[in-house]
Amino acid sequence: MPDTHAAELAATAEEVFRTQFGAAPEGVWAAPGRVNLIGEHTDYNEGFVMPFALPFYATAAAAKAETWEFHSTHGGGEIVRSESADGVGGWAAYLAGVAWAMNEAGYEVGPARIAIHSDVPHGAGLSSSAALECAALLALADLHGHAIDRAEAARIARRAENEYVGAPTGILDQSASLLCEEGHAMFMDCRDLSREQVPFRLEDEGLTMLVIDTQAPHRHADGEYASRRADCEEAARLLGVAYLRDAPADARLDDDRLNRRLRHILTENERVLETARILKGGSVAGIGELLTASHVSMRDDYEISSVELDSAVDAALGAGALGARMTGGGFGGSAIALVETAAAPKTEAAVLEAAKAAALPRPRIFAARAAAGAHRVR
Ligand code: GLA
């Protein structure tokens, strides 16, 4: 379903396109950032995830052209020009990479002009790069008349991120941007991308989901992410399974670190399944403890939290949140806290106060709702 906020951003993208390129675009497409409600680092273990789309979008105004020309309202005013989609660097790599991956997948795309306007917070762990990729992918698919199944599109955008941009991520972010639906969290099995849209209506229960962007820099995020992946692959090898998804619930490893990585993945998959069951039973409040247990597991077993994230989670829980956890890849970025709406101001104040007392950056806090997934706006 279209989103009025996406439409406003799209109008700006269209205007920027006209100013930069002196002509009208053929269309404008929007793709959102995401919060992952639960199911962290399970995606590349072929396990379960449960994201919802945030009402922040990357919008792409685009038209076919003679050469590639990319502009972004956050790109310092420049136009990045390239004869081919290969070898483009910087922020434009997310767009060119998608063109490359589409060609690789047999969906031929020629050059285009693309103007980007996005309000997905950058560096906050809310998938601003996947939003860029997915907006570009929808734009290029429509411009060239390719009807691409959304799950297939997510795989193509992930390939752009893995092989062109060079970040070894899983399929969570791209599938969230392309497949989530308004008012729902999406339960997804990352093995085959089968999924179920689960109603997620906080307001019906007088609840609010706060997103707490810690504003802390991602520290060593790339290297640490890759090393967690490597740990999981090693653990799977030792257990004789292809992916940790296939490890039996009672599996144990002698190596303490690998055993803790394994335990996180096994228990996190269970928590996602349980969260889906509770939400389908009609209760959002009931998932609070699972969110908090997920955070503890990421903090102690997977070791991907940070002092800023722990401060936010502890302060929110101390102020009476029903549950709280870091979300996304970790090592900085954002946390979420499920709170009674009446208690939201008190929780925000507690989180800000805790950050101040520990001399941490001042977090940016907002209330999330489950927004519409990627779509053509005009
Ligand atoms: C990042 C990656 C995703 C996923 C999460 C952790 O967002 O891009 O693929 O692994 O971290 O759940």
Side-chain angles (χ1 to χ4, degrees), residues 192-289:
D192 57 6
L193 302 197
S194 60
R195 56 208 173 265
E196 188 174 349
Q197 304 290 342
V198 184
F200 186 61
R201 298 200 176 279
L202 296 154
E203 60 284 3
D204 293 357
E205 290 177 52
L207 298 176
T208 293
M209 182 67 80
L210 295 176
V211 177
I212 304 158
D213 170 5
T214 61
Q215 304 268 24
H218 283 248
R219 275 178 297 260
H220 316 298
D222 290 353
E224 292 287 354
Y225 187 95
S227 95
R228 294 305 177 281
R229 277 198 75 141
D231 281 354
C232 289
E233 282 160 19
E234 176 65 0
R237 195 187 64 73
L238 289 169
L239 291 167
V241 293
Y243 293 94
L244 289 186
R245 151 75 177 278
D246 302 310
D250 60 355
R252 299 285 177 274
L253 289 166
D254 291 339
D255 182 278
D256 174 60
R257 190 186 78 235
L258 294 181
N259 192 51
R260 283 182 292 117
R261 306 300 189 240
L262 166 68
R263 188 164 57 199
H264 170 70
I265 299 301
L266 289 174
T267 57
E268 186 77 350
N269 275 330
E270 280 305 316
R271 283 186 288 269
V272 182
L273 292 170
E274 186 60 19
T275 300
R277 266 193 293 274
I278 294 175
L279 287 180
K280 280 193 271 181
S283 160
V284 178
I287 70 172
E289 284 179 14

XYZ file of all heavy atoms in Angstrom, residues 192-289:
772
model
N 14.370 -20.677 2.472
C 13.677 -20.648 1.172
C 12.913 -19.341 0.965
O 12.184 -19.193 -0.002
C 12.720 -21.838 1.054
C 11.697 -21.869 2.187
O 11.662 -20.911 2.989
O 10.933 -22.846 2.270
N 13.085 -18.399 1.870
C 12.402 -17.103 1.847
C 10.879 -17.246 1.913
O 10.155 -16.334 1.510
C 12.819 -16.255 0.631
C 14.306 -15.935 0.487
C 14.511 -14.780 -0.480
C 14.969 -15.605 1.813
N 10.393 -18.387 2.425
C 8.956 -18.484 2.669
C 8.634 -17.578 3.848
O 9.471 -17.364 4.730
C 8.534 -19.930 2.957
O 9.201 -20.408 4.102
N 7.444 -17.008 3.866
C 7.185 -15.985 4.870
C 5.701 -15.862 5.179
O 4.862 -16.322 4.413
C 7.731 -14.635 4.387
C 7.174 -14.223 3.068
C 8.119 -13.322 2.282
N 7.560 -13.111 0.963
C 7.889 -13.829 -0.093
N 8.791 -14.788 -0.002
N 7.314 -13.609 -1.255
N 5.461 -15.221 6.303
C 4.087 -15.015 6.742
C 3.991 -13.614 7.325
O 4.824 -13.220 8.147
C 3.768 -16.058 7.813
C 2.331 -16.075 8.202
C 2.011 -17.215 9.169
O 2.864 -18.110 9.382
O 0.907 -17.174 9.729
N 3.016 -12.848 6.869
C 2.830 -11.497 7.406
C 2.004 -11.608 8.684
O 0.879 -12.093 8.656
C 2.118 -10.607 6.376
C 2.819 -10.517 5.024
C 4.130 -9.738 5.079
O 4.379 -8.977 6.019
N 4.981 -9.938 4.076
N 2.589 -11.183 9.791
C 1.936 -11.333 11.091
C 1.465 -9.953 11.568
O 2.271 -9.024 11.645
C 2.933 -11.918 12.120
C 2.244 -12.168 13.443
C 3.567 -13.195 11.582
N 0.168 -9.814 11.877
C -0.331 -8.491 12.308
C 0.507 -7.941 13.461
O 0.829 -8.678 14.403
C -1.765 -8.783 12.760
C -2.162 -9.999 11.997
C -0.903 -10.814 11.845
N 0.860 -6.670 13.353
C 1.711 -6.058 14.378
C 1.158 -4.661 14.615
O 1.619 -3.688 14.051
C 3.155 -6.026 13.870
C 4.140 -5.556 14.895
C 4.317 -6.251 16.079
C 4.907 -4.420 14.683
C 5.229 -5.822 17.033
C 5.818 -3.983 15.624
C 5.975 -4.682 16.803
N 0.099 -4.628 15.437
C -0.612 -3.360 15.648
C -0.448 -2.956 17.096
O -1.250 -3.292 17.960
C -2.083 -3.513 15.273
C -2.248 -3.866 13.800
C -3.642 -3.558 13.313
N -3.733 -3.813 11.888
C -3.323 -2.976 10.943
N -2.811 -1.819 11.265
N -3.442 -3.303 9.671
N 0.610 -2.203 17.337
C 0.951 -1.788 18.685
C -0.163 -0.957 19.309
O -0.495 -1.107 20.488
C 2.233 -0.952 18.625
C 3.475 -1.697 18.156
C 4.472 -0.742 17.547
C 4.091 -2.441 19.324
N -0.745 -0.073 18.488
C -1.718 0.889 19.030
C -2.953 0.187 19.590
O -3.551 0.664 20.539
C -2.082 1.948 17.974
C -2.707 1.462 16.685
C -1.729 0.815 15.690
O -0.536 0.688 16.012
O -2.193 0.417 14.613
N -3.299 -0.986 19.044
C -4.475 -1.717 19.555
C -4.301 -2.102 21.022
O -5.263 -2.315 21.734
C -4.713 -2.996 18.744
C -5.125 -2.697 17.306
O -5.285 -1.500 16.980
O -5.267 -3.650 16.517
N -3.036 -2.245 21.452
C -2.779 -2.648 22.840
C -2.202 -1.505 23.668
O -1.680 -1.733 24.764
C -1.798 -3.834 22.871
C -2.402 -5.112 22.359
C -1.406 -6.258 22.318
O -0.748 -6.527 23.344
O -1.264 -6.863 21.252
N -2.261 -0.283 23.122
C -1.722 0.858 23.867
C -0.218 0.771 24.039
O 0.339 1.215 25.043
N 0.456 0.201 23.040
C 1.907 0.021 23.131
C 2.633 0.885 22.103
O 2.067 1.263 21.078
C 2.267 -1.445 22.886
C 1.708 -2.445 23.889
C 2.073 -3.855 23.466
C 2.246 -2.160 25.287
N 3.891 1.152 22.396
C 4.755 1.902 21.486
C 6.084 1.176 21.377
O 6.585 0.652 22.370
C 4.980 3.333 22.033
O 3.736 4.037 21.989
C 6.003 4.108 21.200
N 6.611 1.132 20.160
C 7.954 0.583 19.964
C 8.897 1.757 19.744
O 8.810 2.452 18.735
C 7.974 -0.343 18.743
C 9.309 -0.991 18.482
S 9.783 -2.160 19.773
C 8.819 -3.596 19.315
N 9.745 1.972 20.734
C 10.728 3.045 20.579
C 11.948 2.509 19.854
O 12.414 1.398 20.133
C 11.159 3.565 21.951
C 10.078 4.263 22.781
C 10.635 4.631 24.157
C 9.559 5.514 22.059
N 12.450 3.292 18.917
C 13.727 2.985 18.291
C 14.730 3.977 18.861
O 14.480 5.192 18.857
C 13.671 3.096 16.753
C 15.051 2.841 16.142
C 12.651 2.124 16.197
N 15.817 3.447 19.403
C 16.830 4.282 20.041
C 18.108 4.196 19.215
O 18.830 3.197 19.263
C 17.101 3.782 21.481
C 15.792 3.754 22.283
C 18.158 4.656 22.165
C 15.821 2.814 23.487
N 18.323 5.216 18.409
C 19.552 5.276 17.609
C 20.642 5.823 18.530
O 20.605 6.992 18.918
C 19.319 6.174 16.392
C 20.597 6.483 15.627
O 21.657 5.934 15.978
O 20.523 7.283 14.684
N 21.606 4.970 18.875
C 22.602 5.366 19.881
C 23.541 6.455 19.376
O 24.278 7.041 20.162
C 23.468 4.170 20.312
O 24.165 3.675 19.162
C 22.634 3.082 20.944
N 23.542 6.687 18.056
C 24.435 7.696 17.451
C 25.899 7.364 17.692
O 26.766 8.235 17.577
C 24.147 9.096 18.003
C 22.718 9.514 17.827
C 22.479 10.276 16.540
O 23.222 10.160 15.558
N 21.454 11.074 16.516
N 26.160 6.126 18.080
C 27.545 5.707 18.303
C 28.088 5.155 16.999
O 27.368 4.472 16.273
C 27.597 4.631 19.379
N 29.336 5.456 16.689
C 29.899 4.933 15.443
C 29.946 3.405 15.477
O 30.145 2.815 16.541
C 31.312 5.516 15.427
C 31.601 5.896 16.845
C 30.293 6.232 17.473
N 29.720 2.770 14.307
C 29.903 1.319 14.213
C 31.391 1.047 14.373
O 32.179 1.487 13.550
C 29.503 0.811 12.825
C 28.034 0.723 12.622
N 27.379 -0.459 12.494
C 27.100 1.684 12.520
C 26.094 -0.240 12.323
N 25.896 1.054 12.332
N 31.770 0.356 15.432
C 33.193 0.081 15.635
C 33.552 -1.303 15.107
O 32.982 -2.290 15.554
C 33.531 0.164 17.132
C 33.826 1.598 17.585
C 34.106 1.586 19.062
N 32.920 1.149 19.782
C 32.069 1.989 20.381
N 32.275 3.275 20.347
N 31.006 1.523 21.013
N 34.490 -1.372 14.197
C 34.970 -2.649 13.650
C 33.826 -3.513 13.127
O 33.914 -4.730 13.115
C 35.737 -3.461 14.704
C 36.686 -2.646 15.509
N 37.746 -1.989 14.926
C 36.730 -2.370 16.824
C 38.404 -1.347 15.877
N 37.810 -1.542 17.031
N 32.727 -2.863 12.753
C 31.532 -3.644 12.427
C 31.803 -4.651 11.312
O 31.390 -5.806 11.414
C 30.395 -2.710 12.053
N 32.507 -4.238 10.255
C 32.692 -5.146 9.124
C 33.499 -6.379 9.497
O 33.094 -7.507 9.238
C 33.373 -4.419 7.961
C 32.429 -3.393 7.337
O 31.247 -3.379 7.741
O 32.895 -2.634 6.475
N 34.644 -6.143 10.136
C 35.516 -7.258 10.497
C 34.874 -8.179 11.515
O 34.969 -9.405 11.415
N 34.178 -7.595 12.500
C 33.526 -8.411 13.533
C 32.367 -9.204 12.937
O 32.144 -10.361 13.297
C 33.020 -7.523 14.676
C 34.126 -6.874 15.493
C 34.850 -7.863 16.401
O 34.432 -9.037 16.486
O 35.854 -7.461 17.013
N 31.634 -8.567 12.022
C 30.519 -9.279 11.371
C 31.074 -10.509 10.649
O 30.578 -11.623 10.800
C 29.816 -8.347 10.384
C 28.556 -8.919 9.786
C 27.313 -8.644 10.339
C 28.608 -9.750 8.663
C 26.147 -9.182 9.791
C 27.460 -10.288 8.115
C 26.233 -9.990 8.678
O 25.086 -10.537 8.133
N 32.133 -10.293 9.874
C 32.730 -11.396 9.108
C 33.249 -12.482 10.050
O 33.144 -13.676 9.752
C 33.853 -10.866 8.225
N 33.779 -12.072 11.209
C 34.328 -13.099 12.103
C 33.197 -13.896 12.771
O 33.357 -15.082 13.046
C 35.306 -12.489 13.106
O 34.661 -12.188 14.310
N 32.016 -13.270 13.013
C 30.881 -14.048 13.524
C 30.420 -15.061 12.482
O 30.073 -16.193 12.792
C 29.703 -13.143 13.909
C 29.952 -12.218 15.079
C 30.414 -12.950 16.322
N 30.714 -12.016 17.393
C 31.851 -11.293 17.473
N 32.797 -11.423 16.562
N 32.036 -10.464 18.475
N 30.395 -14.635 11.244
C 30.026 -15.570 10.166
C 30.982 -16.741 10.130
O 30.573 -17.896 10.014
C 30.089 -14.870 8.801
C 28.874 -14.079 8.449
C 28.820 -13.810 6.962
N 28.420 -15.008 6.240
C 27.617 -15.012 5.197
N 27.111 -13.878 4.753
N 27.306 -16.125 4.581
N 32.274 -16.422 10.223
C 33.289 -17.485 10.168
C 33.112 -18.445 11.350
O 33.230 -19.659 11.199
C 34.685 -16.871 10.164
N 32.822 -17.909 12.538
C 32.581 -18.763 13.708
C 31.424 -19.730 13.447
O 31.488 -20.913 13.793
C 32.224 -17.914 14.944
C 33.463 -17.297 15.601
O 34.594 -17.608 15.170
O 33.275 -16.492 16.543
N 30.354 -19.191 12.855
C 29.177 -20.037 12.585
C 29.511 -21.125 11.571
O 29.073 -22.274 11.710
C 28.014 -19.188 12.071
S 27.295 -18.147 13.351
N 30.289 -20.762 10.558
C 30.652 -21.760 9.548
C 31.506 -22.856 10.171
O 31.332 -24.043 9.887
C 31.390 -21.083 8.383
C 30.428 -20.362 7.463
C 31.083 -19.302 6.590
O 32.321 -19.345 6.406
O 30.352 -18.419 6.098
N 32.431 -22.440 11.045
C 33.293 -23.418 11.720
C 32.460 -24.313 12.639
O 32.641 -25.541 12.671
C 34.373 -22.647 12.514
C 35.306 -23.491 13.359
C 36.196 -24.438 12.553
O 36.099 -24.444 11.309
O 36.949 -25.199 13.186
N 31.531 -23.716 13.376
C 30.670 -24.496 14.273
C 29.842 -25.505 13.471
O 29.716 -26.674 13.863
C 29.752 -23.570 15.067
N 29.310 -25.059 12.340
C 28.510 -25.965 11.500
C 29.376 -27.114 10.988
O 28.952 -28.285 10.986
C 27.888 -25.193 10.341
N 30.608 -26.767 10.583
C 31.521 -27.804 10.070
C 31.788 -28.851 11.148
O 31.721 -30.058 10.912
C 32.823 -27.142 9.620
C 33.727 -28.008 8.749
C 35.065 -27.345 8.476
N 35.877 -27.143 9.671
C 36.522 -28.089 10.345
N 36.459 -29.345 9.927
N 37.225 -27.809 11.424
N 32.079 -28.382 12.376
C 32.373 -29.310 13.476
C 31.172 -30.204 13.801
O 31.338 -31.352 14.202
C 32.783 -28.533 14.733
C 34.162 -27.866 14.669
C 34.359 -26.908 15.844
C 35.265 -28.936 14.662
N 29.984 -29.665 13.606
C 28.774 -30.449 13.919
C 28.326 -31.297 12.723
O 27.381 -32.072 12.829
C 27.634 -29.504 14.324
C 27.818 -28.790 15.667
C 26.800 -27.661 15.827
C 27.692 -29.783 16.816
N 28.980 -31.097 11.582
C 28.636 -31.891 10.404
C 27.310 -31.498 9.772
O 26.610 -32.330 9.192
N 26.931 -30.211 9.914
C 25.704 -29.741 9.256
C 26.079 -28.612 8.284
O 27.124 -27.974 8.445
C 24.659 -29.226 10.277
C 24.145 -30.369 11.136
C 25.225 -28.099 11.152
N 25.229 -28.383 7.295
C 25.537 -27.356 6.299
C 25.419 -25.962 6.924
O 26.238 -25.079 6.664
C 24.593 -27.494 5.109
N 24.396 -25.760 7.735
C 24.148 -24.462 8.397
C 23.701 -24.729 9.838
O 23.109 -25.772 10.121
C 23.043 -23.681 7.672
C 23.452 -23.250 6.288
C 23.145 -24.038 5.186
C 24.166 -22.060 6.092
C 23.539 -23.647 3.910
C 24.558 -21.670 4.827
C 24.249 -22.466 3.734
O 24.633 -22.088 2.478
N 23.952 -23.766 10.722
C 23.569 -23.975 12.127
C 22.066 -24.157 12.296
O 21.611 -24.715 13.285
C 24.086 -22.836 13.006
C 25.611 -22.835 13.210
C 26.013 -21.757 14.205
C 26.108 -24.212 13.675
N 21.296 -23.708 11.359
C 19.857 -23.980 11.351
C 19.572 -25.461 11.522
O 18.574 -25.863 12.108
C 19.298 -23.471 10.015
C 18.083 -24.174 9.456
C 16.850 -23.759 10.246
N 15.636 -24.345 9.709
C 14.959 -23.854 8.678
N 15.383 -22.798 8.041
N 13.844 -24.420 8.285
N 20.478 -26.295 11.000
C 20.247 -27.741 11.005
C 20.799 -28.436 12.250
O 20.635 -29.640 12.411
C 20.888 -28.362 9.759
C 20.336 -27.736 8.487
O 19.103 -27.667 8.372
O 21.131 -27.289 7.644
N 21.470 -27.670 13.130
C 22.040 -28.304 14.321
C 20.922 -28.698 15.281
O 19.958 -27.951 15.456
C 23.002 -27.336 15.007
N 21.034 -29.883 15.925
C 19.999 -30.278 16.885
C 19.992 -29.354 18.100
O 21.025 -28.770 18.454
C 20.382 -31.706 17.286
C 21.767 -31.917 16.796
C 22.065 -30.902 15.746
N 18.842 -29.222 18.752
C 18.680 -28.277 19.868
C 19.674 -28.558 20.994
O 20.059 -27.642 21.724
C 17.255 -28.337 20.392
N 20.106 -29.818 21.153
C 21.016 -30.147 22.264
C 22.485 -30.182 21.822
O 23.343 -30.656 22.552
C 20.613 -31.476 22.903
C 20.666 -32.626 21.897
O 20.927 -32.356 20.695
O 20.437 -33.776 22.302
N 22.785 -29.653 20.644
C 24.171 -29.672 20.153
C 25.075 -28.841 21.066
O 24.668 -27.801 21.569
C 24.222 -29.129 18.730
N 26.284 -29.332 21.306
C 27.280 -28.620 22.130
C 28.635 -28.724 21.442
O 28.908 -29.685 20.747
C 27.415 -29.253 23.522
C 26.162 -29.258 24.370
C 25.842 -27.878 24.943
N 24.597 -27.904 25.694
C 23.381 -27.737 25.170
N 23.254 -27.524 23.865
N 22.293 -27.784 25.908
N 29.491 -27.727 21.701
C 30.853 -27.779 21.165
C 31.837 -27.581 22.311
O 31.541 -26.875 23.278
C 31.046 -26.685 20.114
C 30.302 -26.905 18.787
C 30.282 -25.619 17.970
C 30.937 -28.043 17.990
N 32.997 -28.179 22.207
C 34.007 -28.062 23.275
C 34.566 -26.649 23.354
O 34.837 -26.143 24.434
C 35.158 -29.050 23.033
C 34.694 -30.480 23.232
O 33.658 -30.665 23.915
O 35.344 -31.399 22.684
N 34.771 -26.046 22.207
C 35.337 -24.700 22.188
C 34.306 -23.713 22.759
O 33.193 -23.608 22.248
C 35.686 -24.326 20.739
C 36.312 -22.952 20.656
O 35.545 -21.943 20.661
O 37.544 -22.879 20.610
N 34.710 -23.003 23.805
C 33.744 -22.141 24.517
C 33.154 -21.059 23.616
O 31.944 -20.825 23.617
C 34.426 -21.505 25.739
C 33.505 -20.509 26.417
O 32.418 -20.924 26.867
O 33.854 -19.306 26.481
N 34.024 -20.394 22.832
C 33.518 -19.307 21.997
C 32.543 -19.840 20.945
O 31.428 -19.343 20.784
C 34.673 -18.577 21.310
C 34.232 -17.301 20.626
C 35.344 -16.660 19.824
N 35.549 -17.340 18.569
C 36.700 -17.848 18.153
N 37.779 -17.759 18.893
N 36.794 -18.451 16.984
N 32.936 -20.892 20.261
C 32.055 -21.450 19.228
C 30.762 -21.973 19.838
O 29.680 -21.859 19.251
C 32.768 -22.573 18.461
C 33.968 -22.140 17.608
C 34.567 -23.333 16.888
C 33.574 -21.058 16.597
N 30.866 -22.515 21.057
C 29.664 -23.032 21.711
C 28.677 -21.901 22.024
O 27.466 -22.066 21.911
C 30.045 -23.768 22.998
C 28.878 -24.566 23.537
O 28.244 -25.343 22.810
N 28.545 -24.355 24.796
N 29.224 -20.758 22.403
C 28.340 -19.620 22.687
C 27.711 -19.070 21.405
O 26.551 -18.683 21.385
C 29.093 -18.533 23.465
C 29.255 -18.926 24.937
C 29.935 -17.889 25.780
N 31.336 -17.731 25.429
C 31.874 -16.610 24.945
N 31.126 -15.531 24.788
N 33.152 -16.556 24.643
N 28.475 -19.027 20.320
C 27.901 -18.601 19.025
C 26.758 -19.537 18.647
O 25.679 -19.113 18.240
C 28.953 -18.614 17.908
C 30.226 -17.829 18.189
C 29.985 -16.356 18.442
N 31.251 -15.661 18.495
C 31.711 -14.980 19.538
N 30.974 -14.859 20.631
N 32.883 -14.377 19.495
N 27.029 -20.834 18.776
C 26.022 -21.855 18.456
C 24.773 -21.652 19.313
O 23.641 -21.672 18.810
C 26.633 -23.244 18.716
C 25.668 -24.429 18.766
C 25.068 -24.681 17.385
C 26.388 -25.690 19.261
N 24.993 -21.449 20.618
C 23.852 -21.299 21.530
C 23.003 -20.082 21.144
O 21.785 -20.126 21.186
C 24.363 -21.161 22.961
C 23.257 -21.190 24.014
C 23.831 -21.445 25.384
N 24.833 -20.458 25.746
C 25.749 -20.635 26.710
N 25.795 -21.775 27.370
N 26.619 -19.687 26.993
N 23.668 -18.989 20.757
C 22.884 -17.831 20.325
C 21.993 -18.186 19.138
O 20.802 -17.875 19.130
C 23.762 -16.630 19.955
C 22.961 -15.548 19.280
N 22.033 -14.781 19.957
C 22.868 -15.173 17.975
C 21.426 -13.972 19.099
N 21.918 -14.187 17.896
N 22.567 -18.808 18.136
C 21.777 -19.096 16.930
C 20.630 -20.058 17.245
O 19.483 -19.844 16.821
C 22.684 -19.660 15.803
C 23.774 -18.644 15.419
C 21.851 -20.048 14.577
C 23.267 -17.296 14.936
N 20.927 -21.108 18.027
C 19.872 -22.080 18.355
C 18.747 -21.427 19.153
O 17.565 -21.600 18.844
C 20.460 -23.247 19.172
C 21.375 -24.211 18.423
C 21.987 -25.223 19.393
C 20.615 -24.940 17.317
N 19.110 -20.656 20.181
C 18.062 -20.064 21.028
C 17.358 -18.926 20.295
O 16.156 -18.733 20.468
C 18.632 -19.548 22.368
O 19.669 -18.585 22.112
C 19.200 -20.694 23.204
N 18.083 -18.186 19.472
C 17.464 -17.069 18.749
C 16.418 -17.589 17.756
O 15.328 -17.023 17.641
C 18.538 -16.242 18.045
C 18.037 -14.965 17.378
C 17.753 -13.811 18.351
O 17.755 -14.033 19.578
O 17.511 -12.691 17.863
N 16.738 -18.670 17.058
C 15.738 -19.244 16.146
C 14.478 -19.632 16.918
O 13.358 -19.389 16.464
C 16.316 -20.462 15.405
C 17.091 -20.049 14.167
O 16.786 -19.039 13.532
N 18.101 -20.835 13.814
N 14.655 -20.232 18.088
C 13.500 -20.605 18.919
C 12.699 -19.373 19.324
O 11.469 -19.384 19.349
C 13.960 -21.344 20.182
C 14.285 -22.802 19.951
C 13.115 -23.547 19.300
O 11.956 -23.346 19.719
O 13.365 -24.303 18.343
N 13.428 -18.300 19.666
C 12.730 -17.072 20.092
C 11.918 -16.466 18.951
O 10.844 -15.914 19.175
C 13.737 -16.044 20.634
C 14.232 -16.346 22.048
C 15.110 -15.233 22.592
N 16.415 -15.186 21.959
C 17.496 -15.829 22.407
N 17.443 -16.537 23.510
N 18.636 -15.746 21.759
N 12.436 -16.557 17.731
C 11.667 -16.015 16.601
C 10.377 -16.823 16.422
O 9.288 -16.247 16.246
C 12.483 -16.033 15.287
C 11.669 -15.405 14.152
C 13.793 -15.281 15.452
N 10.509 -18.138 16.494
C 9.322 -18.988 16.338
C 8.298 -18.673 17.429
O 7.099 -18.562 17.167
C 9.720 -20.476 16.402
C 10.556 -20.973 15.216
C 11.107 -22.369 15.497
C 9.720 -20.990 13.941
N 8.779 -18.512 18.654
C 7.892 -18.220 19.786
C 7.244 -16.829 19.635
O 6.065 -16.646 19.916
C 8.720 -18.314 21.080
C 7.948 -18.182 22.372
C 6.876 -19.247 22.562
O 6.931 -20.294 21.894
O 5.963 -19.005 23.379
N 8.037 -15.867 19.167
C 7.500 -14.517 18.939
C 6.370 -14.570 17.908
O 5.318 -13.952 18.092
C 8.613 -13.568 18.441
O 9.637 -13.525 19.435
C 8.095 -12.160 18.211
N 6.596 -15.330 16.834
C 5.562 -15.455 15.794
C 4.302 -16.078 16.382
O 3.185 -15.615 16.121
C 6.089 -16.288 14.628
N 4.486 -17.110 17.218
C 3.321 -17.774 17.827
C 2.537 -16.794 18.697
O 1.317 -16.713 18.623
C 3.791 -18.951 18.713
C 3.796 -20.296 17.996
C 3.948 -21.455 18.981
N 5.245 -21.502 19.630
C 6.324 -22.108 19.124
N 6.233 -22.733 17.960
N 7.467 -22.103 19.761
N 3.255 -16.018 19.498
C 2.575 -15.093 20.415
C 1.859 -13.992 19.633
O 0.722 -13.637 19.914
C 3.584 -14.494 21.419
C 4.111 -15.614 22.337
C 2.952 -13.388 22.248
C 5.209 -15.165 23.293
N 2.524 -13.450 18.621
C 1.883 -12.386 17.827
C 0.650 -12.914 17.107
O -0.372 -12.233 17.033
C 2.871 -11.804 16.811
C 3.983 -10.900 17.355
C 4.859 -10.407 16.216
C 3.420 -9.715 18.144
N 0.759 -14.127 16.586
C -0.398 -14.694 15.878
C -1.547 -14.957 16.837
O -2.711 -14.912 16.452
C -0.002 -15.976 15.133
C 0.701 -15.672 13.821
C 0.826 -16.888 12.940
C 2.108 -17.616 13.243
N 2.315 -18.797 12.400
N -1.192 -15.196 18.107
C -2.228 -15.380 19.132
C -2.863 -14.058 19.538
O -3.742 -14.024 20.396
N -2.370 -12.960 18.986
C -3.031 -11.680 19.194
C -2.451 -10.812 20.290
O -3.048 -9.829 20.687
N -1.246 -11.161 20.796
C -0.682 -10.337 21.865
C 0.686 -9.803 21.467
O 1.575 -10.571 21.114
C -0.538 -11.181 23.138
O 0.402 -10.592 24.023
N 0.847 -8.484 21.497
C 2.181 -7.919 21.280
C 2.912 -7.843 22.625
O 4.105 -8.148 22.715
C 2.104 -6.516 20.628
C 3.507 -5.939 20.460
C 1.413 -6.581 19.269
N 2.171 -7.493 23.680
C 2.800 -7.342 25.002
C 3.549 -8.615 25.411
O 4.592 -8.542 26.064
C 1.740 -6.986 26.045
N 3.027 -9.772 24.982
C 3.607 -11.052 25.384
C 4.993 -11.331 24.850
O 5.662 -12.275 25.300
N 5.483 -10.524 23.914
C 6.802 -10.827 23.329
C 7.940 -10.117 24.071
O 9.116 -10.329 23.756
C 6.878 -10.452 21.828
C 6.865 -8.929 21.629
C 5.757 -11.128 21.049
C 7.140 -8.505 20.182
N 7.598 -9.280 25.061
C 8.615 -8.462 25.726
C 9.801 -9.260 26.254
O 10.962 -8.931 25.998
N 9.500 -10.340 26.970
C 10.593 -11.107 27.587
C 11.492 -11.750 26.542
O 12.697 -11.923 26.765
C 10.018 -12.174 28.520
C 9.520 -11.572 29.818
C 8.925 -12.607 30.753
O 9.130 -13.814 30.524
O 8.238 -12.187 31.704
